[in-house]
Structure formats: C-alpha cells, structure tokens
Amino acid sequence: MTLRPPRRIPGITEMPPSAPGMRIGLFGGSFNPMHEGHLLVMEETLRRLDLHALWVLVTPGNPLKDNSTLPSLASRVTAARRLITDPRIRVTGLEAAKGFAFSWQTVDFLTSAMPDRRFVWIMGADSLADFHRWQRWRDMAAKIPIAVYVRPGAARRALASRAAAVLDHAQLDETDAALLAGSAAPAWIYLQGRQSALSSTAIRASRNRN
C-alpha cells in the first residue's frame, strides 16, 4: 500500500459526522477550484440516489496529474465550503490525515471501518473513461457501488471505456438510481441529466489570462 505522510490539519481533515444506516455519497477530486458544475452533480446525485449525506473528499493531489502548482489542501477545502449551502454536504480533507494516496485506500478504509453505512462513490463520466488507469480500480468497484454522472462531451468515451466493458454485467438501469446505495458491489449506474460546461481547467486558464 502506498501511503503519504499523514497530515492532520485542525478543522480541515476531520471525518464528517454520520450514523448507522446512512446512505452517503463520496465525491472525490482536487477541486482546483470547485465550481457550479460540481455543485450541480452533488445536487442531482443527492436527490436521485436518495442519499442522506454527501462527503466531498478534497484530495491532497491526483496521482495521475502534475500537482506542483496545486494550492494547499486547506485553501481548497475552505474555498469549497464557501460555495456550499446544503447542510447535507460536508467538505473534508480526511485522506491527508490518513496518508492515503489513492481512492481505493479511502474506499477500503471507510467500508471496513463503518460497514453499517451505505457508501456510494460518485464520479463524472470523464472519470469513468479513465477509471481503468486508477490504481486497483477493480478492487474499488468490488467494494462500493458507483454512480457516474454525465459530463459534456464525455458520454461516448465513458460508455465505450475499458471499465464500462468490464463492469457491464453490474450496471443498473437509470430508473433504479434510488436503489444503488443499498445494492451489493459491484453495481453502478450512469445518470443523464442537467449539465454544466464549466471545468476547473478552464477556470484556471481564464484566471491566468487575466
């Protein structure tokens, strides 16, 4: 298991509160920065998956990207919290406190430590297209149901991806979205719906031009 040095930051890396039986969405990313497109995905998945809560997991750094210019974890967590008004959504940097470098470690820890919660991993369609590049992605899919939300221009790549083909047998119909959290993994669903063309990459590029 690859681990980073644990970094506990008061007020930033604590585990959000929860209770047995809760259905909790896990939405991970660098969030550099968080934007309205992210908020749209959170709003839609909370409603359609019938979740009690959604945890935004702000990663210390994406293993597949260059993190040399990534703002501090604390600044990204704080900025994300300013945008969120729904009390069911909690933003945390808990992966840093555990020293986790990969999403499968987070999933393994949470599902083992709290087996009486019903966790669902939430990702955009662009992430599904590259899911096969994630470390131990098959193990991750075997541990937690996954909700994939449509992203502009990513549908074809996502549904034709290696991961989609491997997990084809486990796909649920979109009309069964509310059942996903209670489904045994592997199970996943592709959600169509409202979309936003915003991206963190485009926002950063615009800021740099200005």
Side-chain angles (χ1 to χ4, degrees):
M1 178 185 292
T2 303
L3 290 175
R4 294 187 173 98
R7 288 192 297 140
R8 293 176 176 82
I9 307 171
I12 297 296
T13 58
E14 289 82 1
M15 181 91 66
S18 65
M22 286 182 66
R23 297 181 297 277
I24 303 169
L26 304 175
F27 189 31
S30 299
F31 300 104
N32 178 32
M34 179 174 283
H35 54 70
E36 293 297 328
H38 295 131
L39 298 179
L40 184 154
V41 172
M42 289 184 245
E43 177 185 326
E44 287 292 300
T45 51
L46 268 168
R47 177 178 62 83
R48 294 171 66 179
L49 301 178
D50 194 24
L51 301 176
H52 296 113
L54 190 149
W55 295 358
V56 178
L57 306 175
V58 181
T59 178
N62 187 331
L64 298 177
K65 296 181 179 180
D66 177 8
N67 299 302
S68 59
T69 60
L70 190 66
S72 72
L73 177 67
S75 66
R76 286 179 287 127
V77 168
T78 301
R81 286 175 177 168
R82 290 196 194 103
L83 289 180
I84 292 170
T85 58
D86 191 324
R88 296 172 297 173
I89 301 174
R90 298 297 183 100
V91 183
T92 177
L94 70 86
E95 290 174 313
K98 300 296 180 182
F100 295 155
F102 300 98
S103 296
W104 71 264
Q105 295 169 322
T106 305
V107 168
D108 190 57
F109 167 73
L110 291 175
T111 55
S112 298
M114 293 183 280
D116 51 3
R117 276 70 161 172
R118 296 292 187 177
F119 291 106
V120 176
W121 190 265
I122 298 167
M123 66 168 68
D126 50 338
S127 293
L128 178 63
D130 294 324
F131 191 37
H132 63 280
R133 298 177 59 207
W134 294 24
Q135 188 179 87
R136 293 182 59 170
W137 65 275
R138 292 173 186 263
D139 292 340
M140 185 172 163
K143 285 227 174 220
I144 190 171
I146 297 172
V148 180
Y149 196 83
V150 64
R151 283 276 295 155
R156 182 174 297 179
R157 279 200 316 125
L159 296 176
S161 67
R162 178 179 171 189
V166 169
L167 298 171
D168 179 68
H169 68 286
Q171 185 175 4
L172 302 183
D173 189 86
E174 189 173 5
T175 58
D176 292 327
L179 304 177
L180 183 66
S183 299
W188 69 285
I189 196 164
Y190 189 87
L191 297 174
Q192 303 278 357
R194 295 184 296 142
Q195 300 180 50
S196 169
L198 286 174
S199 75
S200 296
T201 302
I203 291 172
R204 290 196 303 273
S206 176
R207 287 177 177 175
N208 291 336
R209 285 195 300 270
N210 297 330

